[in-house]
Amino acid sequence: AKRSVIVKKICSIVSKNPNNLNITLKSGWLEKKSDRGMSWSSRFLVMSCKDLKYYYSEDDYKENTDFALGVISLKHIFNIFQLNDTETKKDFAFMIYTGSWQKKNKEMGIREFYFAGRNFEETETWITYIEFIRAKAIYDDFVYSFGKISFPLNNNLEKLEGFENVNKEVYF
């Protein structure tokens, strides 16, 4: 039930601002594990329709929104899942595994990010936001590249150029 409330809230914000990918959908404080994995520090996170940014503080964000410590592209997230405290020695932690991110505006490669909320509910809320917006970012990127599609595909393939003589049975 809580997930559906979050999804409705996101849909409401996005529908009011359909062309603004930079609108803030969620912001707040989480603990973030350092690059080297030695310590945890508080970071201020801001999520838009396209990325998740983290800053030293809310003041840093307000002073210069374009210069985040790190930017995780939502469409490049491979996986996100909650961890137990024996894996991280931190309660309410979750991991984001991404193929692309930026550090101080420099493009970086594959990385595992570890974040932790203050309690289970906060962690679950962040994970829900990230999962939903990640799916939206992937869908939006697909639509931008290939156009909109509808399911089932087997009824629509004949409308696509080059698919006139293709076996129309498609299974997912």
Side-chain angles (χ1 to χ4, degrees), residues 147-166:
K148 288 189 176 188
I149 62 169
S150 60
F151 292 94
L153 288 179
N154 58 347
N155 294 336
N156 297 305
L157 284 177
E158 60 269 3
K159 297 175 188 173
L160 298 174
E161 188 176 318
F163 283 91
E164 296 85 9
N165 299 316
V166 173

Side-chain angles (χ1 to χ4, degrees), residues 120-135:
F120 176 79
E121 185 175 309
E122 181 177 53
T123 297
E124 185 179 46
T125 299
W126 274 101
I127 290 172
T128 302
Y129 267 87
I130 295 167
E131 284 178 336
F132 184 80
I133 297 302
R134 168 187 152 210

Side-chain angles (χ1 to χ4, degrees), residues 17 19-25 46-51 53 61 66:
N17 304 280
N19 298 319
N20 187 353
L21 295 178
N22 293 316
I23 188 157
T24 299
L25 298 172
V46 178
M47 185 170 45
S48 69
C49 289
K50 64 179 185 172
D51 52 38
K53 296 179 180 182
Y61 164 67
D66 293 330

